Amino acid sequence: MSRGTPARGAGSVTSRLHSEERPTGRLPSADLARLRRIRLIGTTAAVAMAVGALGAGALPVLQNPIAGERLFGLWLRLQPSSMTVVMTGMVVVTFCWLLLAPYVLGRDRRGRLSGRLGRADLDRVIASWALPLALAPPMFSKDVYSYLAQGAIGNELADPYALGPVSALGASHALTVNVPDMWRDTPNQYGPLFLGVQKVIHSLTGDDVVAGTILHRIVAVLGILMLGWAVPRLAEYCGVSDVAALWLAVANPLVLFHLVSGIHSESLMMGLLAVGLVLALRAIDSPVADRRAVVLLVAGTVLVTGSALVKLPTVVALGFVGMALARRWGGGARATVRAALVMTAISGITTGAMMLATSSGTGWVTKLGAATTLRSWLSPPTALGVTVGGIGQYLGLGDHTEQVLAMVQTAALLVAAAFTVRMLFAVQSRRINPVGGLGVSMAAVVLCFPVVQPWYVLWALIPLAAWASRVEFRLPVVAVSAVLACFTLPPGAGLPAFVTVQAWAATVVAALVLLVVFYRWPGLLRYR
């Protein structure tokens, strides 16, 4: 039984989602040749997306390096074509990722165990698909321009969380103009650690949008590299295939499109969390409580705290590290209190030091929920609240949508909190692995969160990929990832609806052609 395997009598969540995976042999040469062709097609699609981003990417309004260029500026003048190229590339990359499933999960078409793709081969696939997107302009989101403006505000105001870009910098400021309209009056929503990143980048680049975007992209890529190092080690801890976990958590199109290309803060948040979990759990499982184990525990807890100081939801992970420590100390109330005090001391010192280093003050505590003002239909409680409010209006009962939303969203968060507490004590009593408990709890948090974006799924998916190995988990998650990866369209430039419809029609045709090639003439995928 692996270190991460719960004792007998585990709850239904464990039995339905987790089982240890036995190693399987290498793939035959014919399959390796087919995989090389899949990697080549995915790389070609990623390069096409990078080229299309010159016209359909999340380009800045001011300081656009493409505008006025004869060659590269052509894509700006052909935005419908650019959008079609990007959308076709999205579908093809997602399709290639799905085609890797039998080779990373170690199962043939009949569901039997077969060979499995090696780590080195999968690393090459991830690198070849991610590199073109890392070198291209940002796509799918303009949040990076909010990061740049927030860095300037942090360096200019005593309270970096007091004002939004328009009030702090002025409506005509270069960094304000590039911020999406919906966020121009919104104060910073991120914790002190990410504020520090924003301030350092602004100190280095000033108001240079291109240079600042490049540095934020480097930070995002560093987060992906941290995931690439940590996820296989978490999977080994849980007795799960490291290749399968890496494929689901890092090669996932949601990561490629929204963390690498979209430059979202989740990259740094989840990277710090994963590395911190590896270090802390190694310390807790160390057979000897020596100085090295103490250093690993402190370092791991500091990194997990740092993750929560990017965005607050991952603060939940501190509880699971604490319960794993309490379990190591024998469980029971006294061990739990001791572990809680240790976690509180380390995380409190880390938070205080970061607040002093970034001069954040305490304003970040009250501003972290600013995004919840959005009405997101991907959020079940928000969708329910808006629907019930709409029904009330239709029945002539008046517009009580805001009140209904407040009640439903609050109730949902209480449900998520109660479920998380249940998982915490399940870890303490050895009924579930701490990585699995964290993943299941984060899934509850995402489902109950007032606002959900497609990439928020990664909050739960990354720890679950390292723990949940049953097909009942993997099949739905793979399907959801594939759909959400293509859910967010490239921003383009406010193209008319009929242009988007035409782009989707061309994308569907390209996908159908690929399906025919893959399944009608499979010999085309083999090297002679």
Side-chain angles (χ1 to χ4, degrees):
M1 186 167 62
S2 75
R3 293 173 298 170
T5 305
R8 292 182 180 274
S12 59
V13 171
T14 299
S15 61
R16 291 177 184 174
L17 298 182
H18 174 77
S19 63
E20 288 196 34
E21 292 185 301
R22 294 173 297 169
T24 58
R26 294 280 296 173
L27 292 169
S29 57
D31 284 334
L32 289 175
R34 186 169 187 265
L35 285 166
R36 284 193 292 271
R37 182 60 61 87
I38 293 173
R39 185 185 76 181
L40 178 61
I41 293 173
T43 303
T44 304
V47 171
M49 291 178 66
V51 173
L54 297 175
L59 299 168
V61 178
L62 292 181
Q63 301 184 31
N64 184 347
I66 309 299
E69 293 289 334
R70 283 189 177 182
L71 178 60
F72 297 116
L74 176 65
W75 291 96
L76 279 176
R77 298 188 290 273
L78 298 173
Q79 287 184 337
S81 299
S82 300
M83 190 168 183
T84 302
V85 168
V86 172
M87 291 169 61
T88 303
M90 289 166 50
V91 173
V92 174
V93 170
T94 303
F95 184 56
C96 290
W97 177 70
L98 292 173
L99 287 173
L100 292 178
Y103 305 103
V104 298
L105 301 180
R107 294 185 180 275
D108 59 20
R109 292 182 179 179
R110 298 179 181 178
R112 297 175 301 189
L113 287 174
S114 60
R116 181 176 274 131
L117 182 65
R119 270 287 307 282
D121 294 324
L122 183 58
D123 288 341
R124 282 191 287 269
V125 169
I126 296 172
S128 62
W129 293 358
L131 184 60
L133 299 178
L135 297 176
M139 288 184 282
F140 309 107
S141 173
K142 295 185 177 181
D143 282 3
V144 66
Y145 304 124
S146 294
Y147 302 163
L148 295 175
Q150 289 160 0
I153 294 170
N155 283 330
E156 293 183 11
L157 297 186
D159 183 358
Y161 295 94
L163 301 173
V166 169
S167 301
L169 303 176
S172 61
H173 193 281
L175 298 181
T176 301
V177 171
N178 292 319
V179 175
D181 292 341
M182 63 188 301
W183 300 124
R184 288 190 180 184
D185 292 310
T186 304
N188 199 332
Q189 307 167 38
Y190 302 95
L193 177 58
F194 200 66
L195 172 65
V197 172
Q198 294 170 332
K199 291 176 66 173
V200 168
I201 290 177
H202 179 261
S203 298
L204 294 174
T205 63
D207 295 339
D208 190 323
V209 174
V210 175
T213 300
I214 290 172
L215 290 185
H216 272 290
R217 171 67 61 69
I218 290 173
V219 172
V221 171
L222 288 175
I224 303 300
L225 293 175
M226 286 190 281
L227 286 175
W229 179 86
V231 167
R233 287 164 174 78
L234 290 175
E236 180 184 2
Y237 174 85
C238 298
V240 171
S241 163
D242 57 346
V243 173
L246 196 63
W247 169 75
L248 189 54
V250 181
N252 195 306
L254 282 172
V255 173
L256 299 176
F257 298 166
H258 294 293
L259 301 194
V260 177
S261 181
I263 322 181
H264 283 292
S265 58
E266 270 78 5
S267 178
L268 181 61
M269 177 181 81
M270 298 309 298
L272 290 172
L273 173 66
V275 174
L277 286 175
V278 170
L279 299 182
L281 294 176
R282 279 185 178 179
I284 291 170
D285 281 354
S286 175
V288 180
D290 55 7
R291 180 179 298 177
R292 179 177 179 273
V294 173
V295 170
L296 283 178
L297 177 63
V298 173
T301 305
V302 167
L303 290 177
V304 173
T305 304
S307 171
L309 294 179
V310 175
K311 291 183 80 170
L312 192 58
T314 52
V315 72
V316 172
L318 289 171
F320 287 93
V321 173
M323 282 302 193
L325 183 60
R327 187 176 69 182
R328 168 65 187 269
W329 289 341
R334 180 174 297 181
T336 301
V337 171
R338 285 178 58 202
L341 291 175
V342 170
M343 291 295 105
T344 300
I346 299 174
S347 61
I349 292 172
T350 302
T351 301
M354 188 58 61
M355 290 170 61
L356 287 174
T358 60
S359 302
S360 68
T362 58
W364 63 279
V365 177
T366 59
K367 297 298 191 299
L368 292 178
T372 59
T373 57
L374 293 178
R375 293 185 180 181
S376 169
W377 286 97
L378 289 178
S379 167
T382 299
L384 176 61
V386 173
T387 301
V388 172
I391 293 173
Q393 292 183 63
Y394 179 77
L395 296 176
L397 302 178
D399 186 3
H400 302 290
T401 304
E402 292 297 333
Q403 293 84 349
V404 174
L405 272 174
M407 290 189 295
V408 173
Q409 291 174 347
T410 302
L413 291 175
L414 291 174
V415 169
F419 189 82
T420 300
V421 171
R422 180 190 174 197
M423 289 296 104
L424 285 169
F425 284 99
V427 169
Q428 182 203 41
S429 59
R430 298 182 181 271
R431 290 185 290 115
I432 194 170
N433 178 290
V435 178
L438 172 62
V440 174
S441 296
M442 289 305 295
V445 170
V446 172
L447 286 173
C448 296
F449 212 61
V451 58
V452 175
Q453 302 288 358
W455 55 93
Y456 286 13
V457 173
L458 297 171
W459 299 357
L461 191 152
I462 288 173
L464 283 175
W467 173 77
S469 56
R470 289 192 178 276
V471 69
E472 292 86 352
F473 163 78
R474 283 177 173 161
L475 279 182
V477 167
V478 167
V480 169
S481 296
V483 171
L484 290 180
C486 300
F487 181 84
T488 304
L489 300 181
L495 298 179
F498 74 90
V499 174
T500 303
V501 172
Q502 291 174 351
W504 266 120
T507 300
V508 170
V509 170
L512 290 176
V513 169
L514 271 176
L515 283 170
V516 170
V517 169
F518 269 71
Y519 291 104
R520 187 71 175 176
W521 295 290
L524 294 177
L525 298 175
R526 298 194 186 120
Y527 287 110
R528 303 296 183 183

